[in-house]
Amino acid sequence: MFNLERVKTFFRRRRLPPGEMEQLYQIEKTNRLHLLELAKEHGPVFKSAFGDLFHVSIIGLSRCRRFLKENKDRVRPYTIQVAHLIPHGFMRQMEGDVHAHYRRVLLNSLRENAAVDLNADLERCVLDELKHYRENLTVKGAYGPQLFLSSLSEIATKMLIRIFFGARKGTTQLDELFAGFHALGPQGVVWNPGERQEIAFKALTAMIRAQLLRQHKDGDGLALCAHAKDMLDETMLGNMIYMVEMGRYDIKALFRWLSKYGSEHPEFMERIAAEEHTSGTARSFTETFVMETLRTDQSERLMRIAEEDIVFDRYIIPKAAMIRLCMWEAHHSEKAFSDPFAFKPDRFLKGDPDQDTFSPFGLGHHRCPLAQTTIEVATVFIRILAKEYTVTAKGNDKPVRGAYHWEPSPNFYIELTPKSAVHVTTA
């Protein structure tokens, strides 16, 4: 039976999170520590504004995990809108049995494809493009920052195409797919795909289907693994295409941070160069360098939209509010990591921290299934960079808040001196 007094009592005991309705995006551009400062002032749950949206920040990985567990049916991920291209939409937004099915198909494909030794092919992607980058940098009129971005994008795209669709370096298959992804997003991820992306997406889908028929059982890649099990329907294929599309942007960004820290820490690059590449279970120093880069800069936040009014930790989060689950701030907590603003890869040599201390690939049932793949391709990149070149930073100004994430300075790029040339000179 409806009880008006009980409803009034319920809302009297709860209020909006503390904080001012300041425009967070504008303030963050000049102060990356602002959310940590607000948490000290207001506690781990506080409000602000983000454009026209009511914005709530939540600090602390265990608290964020609890929020997702308690409210998984009341929030939706804030991510790229591709429902008009892909039946059932993007995996990040799926829920229930549909999400479980497609995640299982992807994980099974990853396990089956793990038997394929991709290392030589991935290394070749890095070696060839870094060589081209170094040569092009000497051309009169070359603009280093843009050339560097383009080269990193090409490396990331070709590595992911190799993993997902089995296309090897130097083949027509790789060239066709690379051109297809360039058409899908020549300047980066298109957040709201339109007619141009729809045409490019359909062309990519048809191209991949035709390539799979030619490959039969002679190829590899995640798509072929799913295809062989009759599990590569339009939803799974569409998701794989957009995993590459989103992933190549994120991995390019990770490569930029790796290059920046590599140029700033030549002593770490020498350790990486001297390290023997093994496939053991223990973390290599190279992998810890990647993990420290993920902790320090690459992992920032998860975004959700409230589908209804939510009560969390005694606060009301109204329907349609944007909710930020703060990863970067959690990874810079002194309780989680000693000297958290210093770049110290050795901190991960003792083992992986628990999920309430370090969680660079998400939380809950939407945690990125390609976490280990990301670490592997990043490890290949920084290992080749360290073994083959002495790296010198140019334009290494302060990081900036880009369109989606924090990034190294737009003026940043690297100069590469082949170590073979150094050895010849000093012999």
Side-chain angles (χ1 to χ4, degrees):
M1 182 176 179
F2 179 76
N3 187 316
L4 181 60
E5 287 305 314
R6 182 179 296 174
V7 172
K8 288 180 178 179
T9 300
F10 175 85
F11 280 100
R12 274 199 301 269
R13 291 176 179 174
R14 292 159 177 82
R15 55 190 175 84
L16 291 172
E20 304 299 325
M21 293 302 290
E22 59 185 15
Q23 282 294 338
L24 196 57
Y25 179 73
Q26 297 301 324
I27 297 173
E28 277 189 298
K29 283 185 174 182
T30 57
N31 183 7
R32 196 175 187 183
L33 301 178
H34 189 56
L35 290 183
L36 285 172
E37 294 166 355
L38 289 177
K40 284 184 179 180
E41 181 180 355
H42 300 300
V45 182
F46 51 89
K47 69 177 182 291
S48 58
F50 199 89
D52 295 332
L53 295 174
F54 186 92
H55 184 280
V56 174
S57 298
I58 302 177
I59 305 283
L61 294 182
S62 61
R63 185 174 290 103
C64 291
R65 196 182 310 281
R66 177 165 57 83
F67 173 84
L68 290 175
K69 183 177 180 180
E70 292 176 2
N71 299 288
K72 68 176 184 177
D73 296 327
R74 301 184 183 94
V75 297
R76 59 178 169 84
Y78 180 73
T79 189
I80 191 168
Q81 301 301 310
V82 292
H84 62 297
L85 300 177
I86 305 173
H88 298 300
F90 202 25
M91 196 178 294
R92 287 184 184 180
Q93 291 184 309
M94 294 178 186
E95 294 293 347
D97 292 343
V98 173
H99 176 258
H101 168 73
Y102 287 106
R103 187 179 177 89
R104 185 165 56 249
V105 172
L106 180 62
L107 291 173
N108 287 341
S109 298
L110 282 164
R111 279 191 290 269
E112 290 182 26
N113 208 54
V116 180
D117 186 0
L118 299 175
N119 197 63
D121 288 343
L122 299 181
E123 286 184 351
R124 180 53 56 192
C125 287
V126 181
L127 282 164
D128 288 353
E129 189 52 38
L130 288 181
K131 180 175 181 289
H132 293 157
Y133 165 70
R134 179 175 173 273
E135 291 170 349
N136 291 334
L137 202 57
T138 64
V139 175
K140 185 177 181 180
Y143 181 55
Q146 185 55 51
L147 188 61
F148 187 49
L149 283 173
S150 298
S151 297
L152 294 185
S153 180
E154 184 156 340
I155 294 170
T157 304
K158 289 182 176 178
M159 290 175 99
L160 289 175
I161 288 174
R162 175 68 187 92
I163 292 166
F164 274 83
F165 306 116
R168 289 177 169 82
K169 181 78 176 174
T171 63
T172 303
Q173 181 189 9
L174 178 60
D175 293 340
E176 290 175 349
L177 289 172
F178 185 81
F181 276 101
H182 183 76
L184 190 62
Q187 304 301 326
V189 177
V190 179
W191 198 252
N192 294 298
E195 184 180 358
R196 178 174 178 173
Q197 285 70 44
E198 185 171 358
I199 292 169
F201 176 80
K202 288 179 178 178
L204 265 173
T205 301
M207 186 188 306
I208 293 165
R209 290 287 188 197
Q211 289 182 357
L212 290 173
L213 290 175
R214 293 198 299 269
Q215 284 179 299
H216 295 292
K217 296 182 180 180
D218 296 329
D220 55 66
L222 303 185
L224 188 63
C225 289
H227 177 70
K229 300 287 187 181
D230 198 25
M231 291 292 184
L232 193 70
D233 62 12
E234 295 308 301
T235 294
M236 192 70 255
L237 179 54
N239 267 273
M240 287 188 175
I241 289 172
Y242 262 92
M243 285 173 187
V244 172
E245 176 65 1
M246 300 282 283
R248 67 195 188 113
Y249 175 86
D250 290 337
I251 289 175
K252 176 188 72 173
L254 177 56
F255 288 171
R256 287 182 78 197
W257 286 116
L258 288 168
S259 301
K260 174 180 167 65
Y261 286 115
S263 68
E264 293 173 351
H265 296 279
E267 73 281 12
F268 293 156
M269 294 294 271
E270 288 305 312
R271 284 179 66 178
I272 292 171
E275 190 171 54
E276 292 294 327
H277 174 54
T278 65
S279 56
T281 56
R283 289 281 184 197
S284 65
F285 179 76
T286 311
E287 288 175 308
T288 67
F289 189 96
V290 171
M291 293 174 72
E292 179 69 341
T293 304
L294 289 166
R295 182 196 72 83
T296 305
D297 279 296
Q298 181 73 7
S299 177
E300 291 187 11
R301 61 190 178 273
L302 298 177
M303 304 301 294
R304 297 293 185 267
I305 300 293
E307 300 266 61
E308 57 185 82
D309 291 345
I310 294 171
V311 176
F312 181 70
D313 281 8
R314 296 175 289 113
Y315 296 121
I316 291 286
I317 300 175
K319 181 179 179 179
M322 178 180 283
I323 302 150
R324 180 189 299 205
L325 306 172
C326 300
M327 318 294 286
W328 188 87
E329 287 74 17
H331 291 159
H332 288 78
S333 163
E334 292 183 353
K335 293 180 180 179
F337 295 98
S338 62
D339 201 5
F341 292 96
F343 188 82
K344 295 182 175 181
D346 282 328
R347 69 173 88 239
F348 289 103
L349 284 175
K350 297 177 182 179
D352 295 351
D354 64 49
Q355 62 182 1
D356 287 336
T357 302
F358 181 62
S359 191
F361 295 103
L363 302 163
H365 66 300
H366 278 113
R367 182 180 183 273
C368 179
L370 297 166
Q372 189 56 38
T373 301
T374 301
I375 291 175
E376 288 169 2
V377 299
T379 299
V380 169
F381 174 81
I382 194 63
R383 185 174 66 240
I384 294 296
L385 193 64
K387 285 183 178 293
E388 298 296 323
Y389 297 102
T390 298
V391 181
T392 304
K394 297 293 180 180
N396 194 18
D397 306 321
K398 289 183 178 180
V400 299
R401 177 66 160 83
Y404 300 113
H405 301 286
W406 279 85
E407 305 169 358
S409 165
N411 300 318
F412 173 71
Y413 67 103
I414 57 175
E415 288 185 346
L416 303 176
T417 303
K419 288 189 172 179
S420 58
V422 173
H423 294 157
V424 170
T425 302
T426 58

